[in-house]
Amino acid sequence: MSAMNGLGWTFDTVASTYEKLRPGYTEELYKMIFDYVALNDSCYAVEVGIGGGQATLPILKTACNLTAVEYGAEFTKLCNEKFKEYGNFSIITNKFEDIDFPDDAYDLVYSASAFHWIPESVGYTKVFSMLKSGGAFARFANHPYRGKGNLPLSEEMDRIYAEYYYKFYHKKQETPTEYSEEQAVQRAKIAEKYGFVDIKYALFHRTRTFLANEYSMLLGTYSDHIAIEEGVRKEFFSKIEDAINHHGGSITVYDTIDLQLARKP
């Protein structure tokens, strides 16, 4: 999803549902981050786009001083309450691009499923400036895929998407594809253009299973789905639920989580 789509506002309208239904990240991912950059109570970190705080607790537990950035006021309220017991947590409500951070001040800047909202050159240049020499940038995201495991259901859902989603956006229908290692490699290489070194990447996999109503609630946390006109969206989601119930009553989502790590020289 492009940073230019202008749909970032949509998440804040469903903050509590987003926090409940959007997944966190694997222990193996955090282990790789902490092997790459050691964090303790003398360290300073920034999380870009905290959302519902799905990627925050493991960083807070290192005792580092964490400043989160969040554009949505409802998410800010949610996370202030969620992490109120942590004295090493603070949050700024604003766009990352519009905040004046000090240069050479941070040991870690990271972003979980949010950095794509920021124009590439702006985001990478700003992160590079913020980091201390030897500091790390961690970018990671979850990429769900429903196109295997129940082919008849997937095919019916494709037809529903053609009728509602693609017709609403006046777009040519695209076939869902599973996130690939080549995509992760290309994303990791972006950091090289902005002076980062010691580039690393990894992929992590898991599955999640949803009942029909749970899955439609999950769809209601995606920006491009939220932005569909309400009447169309309700009928769209109802058709999705009917399809799932017709094909076994549940749907399995196959997640690929990609992690890119890069270091300031």
Side-chain angles (χ1 to χ4, degrees), residues 1-3 5-13 70-72 75 117 223:
M1 192 178 299
S2 167
N5 281 353
L7 296 177
W9 61 270
T10 57
F11 296 117
D12 203 47
T13 66
E70 176 53 49
Y71 185 48
F75 277 129
W117 292 106
S223 60

Side-chain angles (χ1 to χ4, degrees), residues 3-253:
M4 304 305 173
N5 281 353
L7 296 177
W9 61 270
T10 57
F11 296 117
D12 203 47
T13 66
V14 292
S16 61
T17 304
Y18 185 105
E19 191 271 338
K20 291 174 184 175
L21 288 175
R22 286 297 188 99
Y25 300 89
T26 64
E27 291 183 9
E28 292 83 2
L29 179 145
Y30 291 108
K31 183 180 185 304
M32 187 169 176
I33 293 174
F34 298 146
D35 285 346
Y36 190 85
V37 56
L39 297 175
N40 54 48
D41 60 4
S42 67
C43 295
Y44 291 85
V46 170
E47 179 176 1
V48 181
I50 188 174
Q54 282 83 356
T56 307
L57 191 58
I59 308 299
L60 283 176
K61 285 184 174 179
T62 68
C64 76
N65 301 283
L66 175 62
T67 300
V69 176
E70 176 53 49
Y71 185 48
E74 292 302 315
F75 277 129
T76 295
K77 293 177 187 177
L78 187 154
C79 289
N80 266 326
E81 177 63 24
K82 187 173 183 178
F83 303 118
K84 64 183 178 182
E85 296 180 4
Y86 289 86
N88 55 327
F89 175 76
S90 62
I91 187 166
I92 301 170
T93 308
N94 204 341
K95 288 185 176 180
F96 176 68
E97 305 95 297
D98 295 338
I99 301 170
D100 291 326
F101 286 102
D103 292 341
D104 307 309
Y106 297 95
D107 302 275
L108 171 68
V109 177
Y110 76 101
S111 187
S113 297
F115 209 68
H116 59 286
W117 292 106
I118 302 168
E120 178 188 302
S121 61
V122 174
Y124 279 90
T125 301
K126 191 178 186 79
V127 169
F128 190 90
S129 296
M130 291 166 59
L131 288 170
K132 300 174 182 177
S133 177
F137 177 43
R139 175 179 178 172
F140 48 103
N142 185 58
H143 306 274
Y145 177 64
R146 58 164 174 81
K148 61 184 182 182
N150 189 335
L151 186 59
L153 171 59
S154 182
E155 290 175 344
E156 185 168 348
M157 289 178 67
D158 286 344
R159 291 191 290 271
I160 295 168
Y161 266 80
E163 182 179 353
Y164 292 94
Y165 178 92
Y166 287 101
K167 186 177 291 186
F168 177 83
Y169 282 110
H170 304 289
K171 293 170 59 178
K172 181 180 178 182
Q173 185 164 8
E174 301 173 358
T175 301
T177 56
E178 197 163 11
Y179 191 82
S180 69
E181 184 168 4
E182 177 59 27
Q183 287 173 288
V185 170
Q186 292 305 313
R187 181 170 286 181
K189 287 181 178 178
I190 295 172
E192 292 179 340
K193 296 191 293 182
Y194 299 95
F196 289 91
V197 298
D198 193 18
I199 311 294
K200 298 183 185 297
Y201 78 92
L203 297 178
F204 308 90
H205 302 277
R206 68 178 170 206
T207 60
R208 295 175 288 148
T209 300
F210 300 91
L211 298 176
N213 66 314
E214 295 171 335
Y215 189 70
S216 67
M217 289 176 65
L218 175 67
L219 293 181
T221 69
Y222 294 142
S223 60
D224 51 351
H225 290 59
I226 300 169
I228 295 173
E229 189 274 322
E230 185 178 5
V232 176
R233 186 175 69 248
K234 285 183 176 179
E235 188 172 338
F236 174 30
F237 286 5
S238 177
K239 294 287 187 181
I240 292 290
E241 289 190 22
D242 289 345
I244 294 170
N245 285 325
H246 181 70
H247 292 282
S250 65
I251 181 170
T252 297
V253 173

